[in-house]
């Protein structure tokens, strides 16, 4: 089963623009993680945000978490063609250590 | 950092045969490993939770007799797809959590299985 839903499902932007992806989930969580996956490849870990955190930054990435709304967002600033990939959020429910993935957002950055 | 190695990275097998995929934590002990499956252009679906020294816990709808999971040591879990059929063709990926800490999950590079 899918824990989270992401929107948009697909996003196409020009290089240099910002990209925002949203993730909503259903149950209380310990942590939320964002991953990137290039076509047909493995997962690359981007950021982990804990349930008691509201915002984290890593380079051009900014993640927010709103536990009251059960939602998170991933912002990629000054996007590059190399950012073209699928982005997934994954959450582990309280009391469990297994991560359930959202539906994913396919991002295409046009040069 | 924590490294999870998955082998093989790709495999092609004939329909009706069995295929074993290995997932190893190289520099840490993983009491728990997880197996996911991903069909083209879809998300990762959790198949089962593999616990060292005990039976795996399967998600609803996953056939435990078809997808055999063995977690014989703190660094190795295996997934065997038995009597594979073309519909089992998929991307299989494992992850592991650090012993006693259910925070960041570390993923293997995945195995692309093609059943012909």
């Amino acid at each position: 089963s899918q824990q989270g839903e992401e929107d948009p499902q697909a996003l196409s932007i020009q290089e240099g623009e910002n990209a925002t992806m949203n993730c909503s989930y259903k149950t209380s969580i310990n942590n939320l993680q964002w991953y990137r996956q290039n076509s047909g490849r493995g997962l690359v870990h981007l950021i982990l945000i804990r349930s008691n955190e509201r915002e984290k930054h890593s380079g051009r990435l900014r993640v927010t978490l709103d536990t009251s709304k059960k939602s998170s967002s991933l912002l990629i600033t000054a996007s590059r063609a190399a950012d073209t990939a699928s982005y997934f959020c994954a959450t582990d429910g309280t009391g469990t250590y297994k991560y359930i993935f959202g539906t994913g957002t396919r991002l295409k950055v046009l040069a | 950092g924590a490294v999870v190695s998955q082998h093989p990275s790709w495999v092609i097998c004939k329909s009706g045969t069995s295929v074993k995929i290995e997932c190893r934590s190289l520099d840490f002990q993983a009491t728990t490993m997880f197996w996911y499956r991903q069909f083209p252009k879809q998300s990762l679906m959790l198949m089962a939770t593999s616990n060292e020294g005990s039976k795996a816990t399967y998600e609803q709808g996953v056939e435990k007799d078809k997808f055999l999971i063995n977690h014989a040591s703190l660094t190795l879990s295996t997934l065997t797809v038995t009597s594979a059929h073309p519909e089992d063709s998929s991307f299989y990926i494992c992850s592991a959590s650090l012993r006693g800490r259910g925070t960041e999950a570390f993923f293997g590079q995945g195995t692309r299985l093609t059943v012909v």
Side-chain angles (χ1 to χ4, degrees):
Chain A
S1 61
Q2 218 72 52
Q3 158 73 308
E5 289 187 5
E6 292 173 63
D7 80 274
Q9 290 186 0
L11 179 61
S12 185
I13 60 174
Q14 294 291 327
E15 204 167 32
E17 293 180 338
N18 296 341
T20 299
M21 289 158 267
N22 302 294
C23 166
S24 60
Y25 55 92
K26 299 174 184 174
T27 63
S28 297
I29 62 170
N30 289 319
N31 307 286
L32 185 145
Q33 304 193 65
W34 284 91
Y35 290 88
R36 183 183 73 220
Q37 184 182 38
N38 291 83
S39 180
R41 306 289 293 277
L43 293 171
V44 175
H45 179 259
L46 298 177
I47 286 184
L48 178 150
I49 187 166
R50 303 184 194 284
S51 59
N52 61 354
E53 296 175 315
R54 292 296 167 259
E55 187 171 314
K56 285 189 85 167
H57 297 255
S58 177
R60 295 184 295 113
L61 307 180
R62 172 176 168 254
V63 168
T64 62
L65 178 64
D66 187 336
T67 52
S68 67
K69 294 181 180 178
K70 292 187 171 61
S71 68
S72 174
S73 68
L74 169 67
L75 168 68
I76 304 174
T77 60
S79 63
R80 306 166 182 167
D83 295 328
T84 295
S86 291
Y87 292 82
F88 296 94
C89 67
T91 55
D92 64 340
T94 52
T96 78
Y97 293 141
K98 60 182 182 182
Y99 278 91
I100 305 297
F101 281 78
T103 50
T105 294
R106 291 191 305 279
L107 173 66
K108 179 178 282 189
V109 181
L110 304 170
Chain B
V3 177
V4 174
S5 176
Q6 200 170 326
H7 177 81
S9 56
W10 62 270
V11 58
I12 301 173
C13 71
K14 290 185 176 181
S15 188
T17 61
S18 295
V19 175
K20 181 184 285 187
I21 302 169
E22 293 186 347
C23 180
R24 293 181 184 273
S25 56
L26 297 186
D27 51 1
F28 67 100
Q29 292 181 327
T31 51
T32 306
M33 291 184 175
F34 305 92
W35 287 95
Y36 295 83
R37 179 171 56 184
Q38 184 182 35
F39 292 108
K41 297 189 178 180
Q42 294 188 26
S43 185
L44 287 81
M45 299 298 293
L46 180 65
M47 298 175 67
T49 302
S50 170
N51 302 297
E52 185 263 336
S54 65
K55 291 184 179 180
T57 304
Y58 290 82
E59 296 297 305
Q60 194 171 12
V62 178
E63 299 175 61
K64 62 180 181 181
D65 294 330
K66 182 167 185 62
F67 299 100
L68 301 179
I69 291 173
N70 184 276
H71 195 155
S73 76
L74 286 170
T75 59
L76 174 65
S77 175
T78 60
L79 168 69
T80 301
V81 183
T82 63
S83 186
H85 291 284
E87 56 265 31
D88 298 323
S89 298
S90 187
F91 189 62
Y92 293 86
I93 191 164
C94 69
S95 75
S97 295
L98 286 170
R99 182 181 185 138
R101 293 172 51 194
T103 55
E104 181 179 348
F106 302 95
F107 283 82
Q109 65 269 47
T111 297
R112 183 158 303 283
L113 170 64
T114 302
V115 184
V116 297

